[in-house]
């Protein structure tokens, strides 16, 4: 990568050009928020908001990055509240149409926080939930290291995160920093916007020193851009040391109170309690010079920032963090005010600012004049930062419809999952792209077989000391399992970035993560973040439910199925039988593989938007998100599935399994002969009890059809789709095909699920029949499966009683 145009001086322009640009960036960012609040009538009385102060704080840093430091392959994460600065810069670079500028926070307009999937100007990392925007680029860099090791080096990208200082309060940041998977990533730069303010208050100064030490202890290169050049010059004068010591020792609350005061008052406040040496040093400096001097921070000094960036660039073997001292509300009348987080400039203040910059209402939204050095520099940077469009020639990943797994004896879905992955690791068109990860639960979630075949990823080969014949833990650059410490946040952040490798590292991958199901909730914010960002991956929550009986209540998941169903961009799947899992997992991998083959420019893709098509030819809309498999360690007899296979044939059965449910036992003949019909609907590990109940009901002359729901999510979505269609077109909705083929007749239903009962309780409404839903609606405890099933009414006797109750309601 050429660096010839990284400094305006190279084009014969002075630093004044960058300063002029940053003044315009500040103006546009401020005005974008102002327009959202004052120029637009929403008609609903709800405050629009936006963050002028948080944006102003980063104007210099982002101007220095975009107009003097970044190269085209670099990827950047911008703190949530600086989205107006990001868009202002993209506009000045010519990457955003002018019509968007007044649309911050409007429907279809610029998003309040940078969004990969909703913003029109090429956001690399979504941000919003503080802390995640810092960690995401770290895992993107870890992903790039993996991609480079397996598929050949890409053009070097630097992964930059620009984050608020209070974001460092978030635990996920420290989980990410501490994980060995993020060790030694020399292409990472975090820039902390040290404005010493959070939302509510001034951040105590001691925290910053502590954070620096923590990062240092974790092996990071820590740099400060604290004092601007005027202050540094003052420090170097005789007696200047005392000034420096005084400022260094000053509590943040005291320092922050200097902003917004008249110059004479600044002197008084600044020297309040100062030792004589400082009083003497400042005595010779007039008020109008002292006030700007003592608030001269390097985070608003372009030269200091560029020097610090270069220093960080030189670190090749460890991540860097730059603590850039800034002023929240820099250059605005609200600068440094502890209550400025949501403060907005008045219309008068905006008018004055516009006037001061020599702009008028007619010219205020203009780009930099192309005839001026600043305009020419922006044009040069636009060219420098332009990313070459990528060829979309398919990606070589071909996932089969099934691995052909055979299961003659009882087997659990967790065990089948491990075997399917091992099989796929032998398939040439799939194996290179598979990458697994787990937060210290790889072996207990059945990834050992895969790890034995593919090894564990490490950027450098490591000698294996253990000679365990069951688990070979061979670590090296060829390994395809990335082991994490016990952090479910890290799991979902890494899966998210592996699942965006098709975009951020130009390499589609098939990421598969495993986690104990209850702890999906521990990583939920990162899970949501990753799928909101458009990532494509597979996660298996296993084991799940009260079925892991002896493990007890703390390990038993109940609400995870609801989470899986309700999360947008996630398809929730919970099969009971091994062959069904084989079909469903291969189908999910096929869908994930399609990400890399599709058009991939951010802004162009709309993950979650369904398009006509068919997963595995099932006639359902194509899914464009991630997959969540909820699995179990309970081995169950596979014979009933084989019987359904013999009865229906693979083509029909597979289509129904993929669509969300099929009749495992069909009592249509008995019903036709006059037996009262009922549907027993099971999902996952409880199918044996459901089958037993069906047999008991048959003995009593009741025609119990057993439906195995493989994905309550797909069935629910199919139902909702037709309902919404009906609502939108004001026509009577029909029952969707997926539901009709599993439930061809009208009959009461009993739903049975080792999860919160509500996950399938909607079926009664969908079918227009009485329904009794059995599930786990209280915390579990240790015991045997039979004990737990009895305690939660999942045993066959309870299912029979529920069926009789449902029949009586009919
Ligand atoms: C996970 C999460 N919790 C809370 C918030 C609400 N919130 C938004 S900004 C903010 C303070 C951020 O302070 P800092 O990171 O220092 O940013 P600044 O505005 O000072 O630049 C808070 C608490 C959030 N966005 N995300
Ligand atoms: Mg802050």
């Amino acid at each position: 990568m050429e660096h010839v145009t990284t400094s305006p001086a190279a084009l014969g322009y002075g630093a004044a050009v960058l300063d002029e640009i940053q003044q315009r960036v500040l103006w546009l960012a401020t005005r974008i928020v102002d327009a959202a609040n004052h120029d637009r009538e929403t008609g609903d009385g709800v405050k629009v908001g936006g963050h002028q102060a948080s944006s102003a704080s980063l104007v210099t840093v982002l101007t220095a990055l975009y107009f003097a430091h970044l190269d085209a392959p670099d990827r950047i994460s911008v703190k949530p509240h600086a989205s107006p600065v990001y868009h202002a810069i993209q506009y000045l670079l010519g990457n955003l149409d002018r019509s968007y500028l007044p649309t911050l926070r409007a429907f279809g307009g610029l998003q309040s926080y940078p969004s990969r999937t909703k913003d029109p100007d090429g956001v690399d990392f979504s941000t919003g939930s503080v802390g995640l925007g810092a960690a995401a680029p770290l895992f993107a860099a870890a992903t790039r290291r993996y991609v480079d090791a397996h598929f050949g080096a890409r053009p070097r990208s630097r992964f930059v995160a620009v984050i608020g200082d209070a974001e460092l309060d978030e635990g996920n940041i420290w989980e990410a920093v501490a994980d060995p998977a993020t060790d030694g990533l020399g292409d990472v730069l975090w820039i902390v916007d040290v404005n010493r303010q959070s939302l509510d208050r001034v951040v105590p100064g001691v925290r910053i020193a502590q954070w620096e030490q923590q990062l240092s202890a974790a092996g990071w290169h820590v740099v400060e851009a604290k004092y601007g050049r005027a202050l540094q010059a003052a420090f170097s004068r005789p007696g200047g040391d005392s000034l420096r010591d005084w400022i260094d020792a000053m509590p943040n609350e005291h320092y922050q109170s200097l902003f917004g005061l008249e110059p004479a008052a600044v002197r008084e406040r600044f020297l309040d309690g100062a030792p004589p040496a400082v009083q003497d040093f400042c005595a010779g400096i007039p008020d109008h010079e002292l006030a700007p001097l003592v608030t001269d921070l390097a985070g608003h000094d372009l030269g200091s920032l560029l020097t610090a960036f270069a220093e960080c660039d030189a670190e090749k073997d460890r991540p860097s963090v730059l603590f850039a001292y800034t002023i929240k509300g820099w250059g605005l009348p609200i600068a440094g005010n502890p209550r400025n987080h949501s403060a907005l400039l008045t219309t008068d203040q905006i008018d004055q600012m516009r006037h001061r910059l020599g702009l008028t209402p007619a010219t205020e939204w203009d780009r930099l004049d192309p005839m001026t050095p600043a305009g020419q520099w922006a044009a040069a940077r636009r060219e420098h930062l332009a990313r070459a469009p990528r060829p979309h020639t398919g990606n070589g990943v071909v996932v089969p419809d099934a691995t052909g797994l055979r299961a003659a004896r009882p087997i659990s879905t967790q065990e089948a999952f491990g075997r399917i992955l091992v099989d796929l690791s032998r398939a040439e068109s799939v194996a290179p792209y598979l990458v697994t990860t787990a937060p210290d639960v790889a072996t207990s979630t059945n990834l050992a077989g895969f790890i034995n075949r593919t090894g564990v990823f490490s950027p450098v080969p490591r000698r294996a000391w253990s000679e365990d014949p069951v688990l070979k833990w061979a670590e090296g650059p060829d390994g395809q399992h990335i082991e994490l410490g016990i952090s479910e946040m890290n799991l979902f952040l890494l899966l998210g970035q592996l699942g965006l490798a098709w975009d951020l590292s130009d390499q589609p991958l098939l990421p598969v993560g495993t986690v104990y199901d209850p702890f999906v909730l521990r990583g939920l914010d990162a899970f949501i973040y990753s799928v909101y960002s458009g990532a494509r991956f597979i996660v298996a929550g296993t084991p799940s439910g009260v079925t892991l009986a002896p493990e007890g209540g703390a390990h038993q998941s109940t609400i995870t199925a609801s989470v899986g169903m309700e999360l947008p961009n996630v398809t929730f799947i919970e099969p009971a039988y091994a062959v069904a899992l084989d079909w469903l997992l291969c189908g999910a991998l096929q869908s994930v593989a399609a990400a890399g083959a599709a058009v991939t420019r951010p802004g162009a893709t709309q993950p979650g938007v369904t398009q006509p098509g068919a997963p595995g030819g099932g006639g359902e809309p194509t899914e464009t998100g991630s997959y969540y498999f909820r699995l179990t360690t309970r081995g169950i007899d596979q014979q009933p599935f084989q019987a359904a296979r013999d009865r229906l044939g693979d083509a029909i059965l597979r289509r129904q399994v993929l669509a969300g449910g099929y009749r495992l036992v069909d009592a249509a003949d008995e019903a036709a002969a006059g037996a009262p019909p009922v549907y027993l609907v099971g999902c996952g590990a409880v199918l044996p009890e459901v089958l037993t109940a069906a047999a008991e009901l048959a003995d009593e002359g009741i025609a119990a059809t057993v439906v195995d729901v493989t994905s309550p999510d797909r069935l629910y979505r199919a139902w909702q789709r037709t309902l919404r269609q009906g609502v939108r077109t004001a026509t009577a909705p029909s029952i969707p095909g997926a539901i009709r083929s599993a439930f061809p007749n009208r009959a009461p239903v009993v739903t049975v699920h080792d999860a919160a009962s509500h996950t399938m309780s909607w079926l009664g409404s969908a079918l227009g029949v009485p329904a009794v839903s059995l599930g786990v609606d209280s915390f579990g405890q240790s015991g045997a499966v039979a004990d737990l099933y009895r305690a939660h009414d999942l045993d066959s006797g309870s299912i029979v009683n529920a069926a009789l109750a449902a029949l009586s309601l009919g």
Side-chain angles (χ1 to χ4, degrees), residues 54 79 81 128-130 164-167 170 195 197 199 328 341:
S54 300
K79 77 169 185 185
H81 306 82
S129 175
V130 298
D165 44 358
E167 292 197 55
E170 288 286 1
N195 57 26
Q197 290 182 237
L199 192 157
K328 190 157 171 172
H341 187 77

Side-chain angles (χ1 to χ4, degrees), residues 57 79 164-166 193-198 203 328:
S57 177
K79 77 169 185 185
D165 44 358
D193 177 9
V194 187
N195 57 26
R196 303 161 305 286
Q197 290 182 237
S198 57
V203 177
K328 190 157 171 172

Side-chain angles (χ1 to χ4, degrees), residues 42-67:
T42 58
D44 56 17
V46 174
K47 180 190 100 157
V48 178
H51 300 86
Q52 289 172 329
S54 300
S55 293
S57 177
L58 273 180
V59 160
T60 317
V61 166
L62 287 170
T63 302
L65 282 172
Y66 278 95
F67 289 91

